[in-house]
Amino acid sequence: MASGKHLKRTIYIGTFIHSMSHEALEVVELGVIGVDETGVIAFVAKDYRLAELKETVKSRHGWDDWETVMVGDGTSTTFFFPGFVDTHIHASQLPNAGIFGKSTLLSWLHTYTFPLESSLASLLRASTVYNHAVASTLRHGTTTAAYYATTHVPATTLLASICHTRGQRAFIGRCNMDSHIHPTYYKDNDAESALKDTRASVEAIKEVDAGEGLVMPILTPRFAPSCTAELLSGLGELQKETGLRVQTHISENLPEVALVRQLFPEQSSYTEVYDTHGLLGPKTVLAHACHLSAEEVQLVKARGASVSHCPVSNSYLGSGLCPVRELLGAGIPVGLGTDVSGGWSCSILAAAREAGGVSRLRTYAEKEARYGAEPGKGEMEREKMKLSVEECLYLATKGGAECLGLGQTVGVFEVGMEWDAQLVDLGAEVREDGTGARGGVALWGGEGWEERVAKWVHCGDERNTRRVWVRGREVVEEGE
């Protein structure tokens, strides 16, 4: 538990890896990072001689005492990496992770999702689910999460309290859903009651956070078909009044897009529905975005909104292939979301892995759609769709932070940023008796950092995450 721990100045020594840009990681094999008593990075050094560390830190930074966390000597396979940012996750749905049946999005919601979410009216049930969700995401190295809760104000407040107590940075949203597409047992009675409950939820979450800026409310129209025009307009007015961030879904699958067209015939597109009701802006995170038209992409760009790419969910619900390269090319910020329980794992590392795979699948799908069996056609254009390991890790950290307005706060190891970090251990080289590997990562000797990081992305899991910090507080300790 992180709550109540007094922070001390701390110097972290070891290998540090983070994104310098979309395309490049920086690896510092024996670096030094000083984190002050507020959890902010005070200095970053690549040139300190350890034997002269005390004298150098005192003369350069005026520090007289501090704690030291030293990991390896620059030759180990353990490294510090920025904490992951999950830009789209339904904390209420974790008990359903891995369950899809033969359903697609809309039938899956009615068969599995709504019955589960309605059960969280019980605070005992909600406590069990939410404690597990927050503990699990932290163990997977997620230091920031944008959570969807349920319609229930007390249970949503409980999720905020659990995040605060455990020390996770979080955005918490009460789901707004008053339309007729929802079952009568699980929906808001009308727009007026939904807005009243949302205001109450916003105030309750602010009270939990007590001005720390760690756990924040976020306005959450579940998705356009969930809301009447009256409710969408009311939420747009509330956003204008409060300046809060907004999270919702968009263009996840084609039947959903058709449903939006049916429910909102006055608007020309799904994106225009949000724009018309004041919900599309620089503080909006749109999950999925698999089927946006060229005009919609330009509207998202013009309004400064961002996209949460949820490749695991999109694959397993058969929703579509998000055109991430085109979105990035248009200048739209993109992060990663696990979208539990459409996604089967709360691991952003798994989402990064799948993002790379989906981008490769898109090259084949594009070839089939545009060129058929003609060999070599459009090959260079299609190759550009592929996302590299470096790009996927950018989306998992800095990209996600930018989506949530935290681009100047977390995501990289720079002076002035907050210390949201994970300690990753890839294990030893495989020995003659077969031991040495840690988790699914097996090192055989001779791998450089590029190959080690690639193995972590493609083969790693929470067993490789040894410790986790949020704003300087250790929230996952060794052995947890």
Side-chain angles (χ1 to χ4, degrees):
M1 297 291 182
S3 182
K5 286 188 177 180
H6 178 68
L7 291 183
K8 296 181 180 180
R9 291 174 174 174
T10 304
I11 292 179
Y12 297 88
I13 303 170
T15 298
F16 297 87
I17 302 177
H18 67 159
S19 294
M20 294 182 66
S21 65
H22 278 88
E23 298 85 12
L25 293 172
E26 180 180 35
V27 179
V28 180
E29 289 198 308
L30 190 57
V32 175
I33 291 182
V35 177
D36 69 20
E37 55 270 40
T38 68
V40 174
I41 296 175
F43 58 86
V44 178
K46 309 168 189 177
D47 59 347
Y48 284 10
R49 296 181 180 179
L50 295 185
E52 303 169 0
L53 181 64
K54 186 172 183 179
E55 179 182 337
T56 304
V57 170
K58 184 173 182 178
S59 62
R60 291 190 186 181
H61 308 289
W63 284 18
D64 292 311
D65 63 284
W66 59 83
E67 293 186 345
T68 301
V69 176
M70 184 168 182
V71 181
D73 56 3
T75 63
S76 75
T77 60
T78 301
F79 60 96
F80 295 99
F81 194 79
F84 290 136
V85 179
D86 191 339
T87 57
H88 184 75
I89 176 171
H90 296 263
S92 54
Q93 294 179 20
L94 201 62
N96 277 352
I99 300 174
F100 308 100
K102 297 180 179 180
S103 57
T104 54
L105 175 64
L106 297 178
S107 61
W108 172 80
L109 287 171
H110 285 273
T111 304
Y112 300 106
T113 303
F114 296 152
L116 171 62
E117 289 191 11
S118 68
S119 73
L120 270 63
S122 161
L123 287 179
L124 179 61
R125 170 75 162 162
S127 178
T128 302
V129 171
Y130 288 152
N131 270 296
H132 179 67
V134 176
S136 296
T137 53
L138 284 170
R139 281 198 302 272
H140 281 277
T142 297
T143 52
T144 300
Y147 286 119
Y148 286 58
T150 62
T151 61
H152 315 106
V153 175
T156 301
T157 306
L158 178 61
L159 173 58
S161 180
I162 289 169
C163 289
H164 187 266
T165 299
R166 291 183 175 271
Q168 187 175 51
R169 190 187 305 273
F171 294 85
I172 310 290
R174 188 200 84 89
C175 287
N176 286 266
M177 34 196 279
D178 72 331
S179 82
H180 69 276
I181 75 162
H182 289 282
T184 55
Y185 67 82
Y186 184 52
K187 66 187 291 288
D188 291 309
N189 291 328
D190 50 38
E192 182 180 358
S193 65
L195 291 167
K196 181 180 178 181
D197 283 352
T198 294
R199 285 182 179 276
S201 182
V202 166
E203 292 307 312
I205 293 167
K206 288 181 177 179
E207 186 175 343
V208 167
D209 183 66
E212 292 182 28
L214 191 71
V215 178
M216 295 153 282
I218 185 168
L219 299 179
T220 307
R222 188 181 195 108
F223 68 149
S226 286
C227 303
T228 61
E230 181 183 359
L231 179 52
L232 289 175
S233 293
L235 290 169
E237 288 298 319
L238 185 57
Q239 194 287 322
K240 185 177 180 180
E241 173 191 331
T242 61
L244 292 174
R245 306 198 73 81
V246 175
Q247 62 180 357
T248 191
H249 302 73
I250 194 168
S251 295
E252 186 171 352
N253 80 356
L254 292 175
E256 171 208 8
V257 175
L259 179 60
V260 171
R261 192 177 301 117
Q262 175 188 332
L263 294 173
F264 298 91
E266 298 85 2
Q267 279 79 52
S268 63
S269 69
Y270 203 152
T271 305
E272 191 176 300
V273 172
Y274 291 130
D275 192 44
T276 298
H277 294 93
L279 291 167
L280 188 68
K283 292 187 175 182
T284 303
V285 183
L286 302 165
H288 302 292
C290 295
H291 305 287
L292 297 179
S293 67
E295 293 76 18
E296 287 181 284
V297 170
Q298 289 307 309
L299 182 55
V300 171
K301 164 62 176 174
R303 297 294 183 264
S306 59
V307 168
S308 173
H309 177 35
C310 305
V312 178
S313 171
N314 294 339
S315 296
Y316 280 79
L317 287 176
S319 297
L321 304 175
C322 180
V324 175
R325 176 66 68 208
E326 290 86 337
L327 295 175
L328 292 172
I332 295 172
V334 179
L336 292 179
T338 58
D339 193 27
V340 169
S341 64
W344 46 260
S345 171
C346 64
S347 166
I348 282 290
L349 190 65
R353 179 183 309 144
E354 191 81 2
V358 166
S359 73
R360 290 170 177 269
L361 181 59
R362 284 195 68 229
T363 67
Y364 176 80
E366 183 74 6
K367 177 182 184 297
E368 289 293 295
R370 297 180 61 179
Y371 305 109
E374 295 183 60
K377 285 283 188 177
E379 188 170 343
M380 289 183 63
E381 179 184 347
R382 290 185 291 107
E383 280 296 309
K384 293 178 182 177
M385 294 179 181
K386 295 179 181 178
L387 298 175
S388 65
V389 166
E390 292 80 5
E391 288 175 302
C392 292
L393 288 174
Y394 183 94
L395 300 183
T397 52
K398 181 69 170 176
E402 290 170 345
C403 289
L404 296 173
L406 297 171
Q408 301 303 311
T409 305
V410 297
V412 292
F413 296 137
E414 294 177 352
V415 172
M417 306 292 275
E418 295 184 7
W419 179 249
D420 283 20
Q422 54 185 310
L423 179 63
V424 180
D425 187 350
L426 301 184
E429 291 180 13
V430 177
R431 305 182 186 95
E432 186 178 354
D433 63 0
T435 62
R438 188 178 181 96
V441 178
L443 300 177
W444 299 91
E447 295 100 339
W449 276 113
E450 182 177 353
E451 291 83 11
R452 293 172 188 173
V453 170
K455 284 199 168 191
W456 174 50
V457 170
H458 294 117
C459 306
D461 55 36
E462 73 275 16
R463 291 171 292 180
N464 299 109
T465 304
R466 281 174 43 189
R467 301 171 71 178
V468 179
W469 295 264
V470 176
R471 194 183 278 173
R473 283 181 164 78
E474 189 167 10
V475 294
V476 175
E477 299 178 359
E478 187 90 48
E480 282 191 21

